[in-house]
Amino acid sequence: MGQNFGVITKISESEMNLRELVQDPAGDWVERTSTLLLQAKEGK
């Protein structure tokens, strides 16, 4: 997912967890994790 070799590691009704590999300023590859909070669409 995305430009940084991302992999979705977990999905729930309220969030999605993502693990990706990114290059740090020195050029080394490091693992970064992110959590995206999900919102329900109202009216449906």
Side-chain angles (χ1 to χ4, degrees):
M1 180 172 182
Q3 298 178 352
N4 297 311
F5 308 106
V7 175
I8 297 171
T9 57
K10 179 183 173 186
I11 299 175
S12 70
E13 288 190 26
S14 61
E15 65 186 30
M16 178 174 65
N17 295 339
L18 177 70
R19 184 181 70 226
E20 56 187 340
L21 293 174
V22 295
Q23 277 189 304
D24 66 11
D28 296 324
W29 289 94
V30 294
E31 189 173 281
R32 177 173 69 184
T33 59
S34 303
T35 300
L36 304 173
L37 299 177
L38 305 176
Q39 297 178 338
K41 184 176 179 180
E42 292 187 30
K44 291 195 176 194

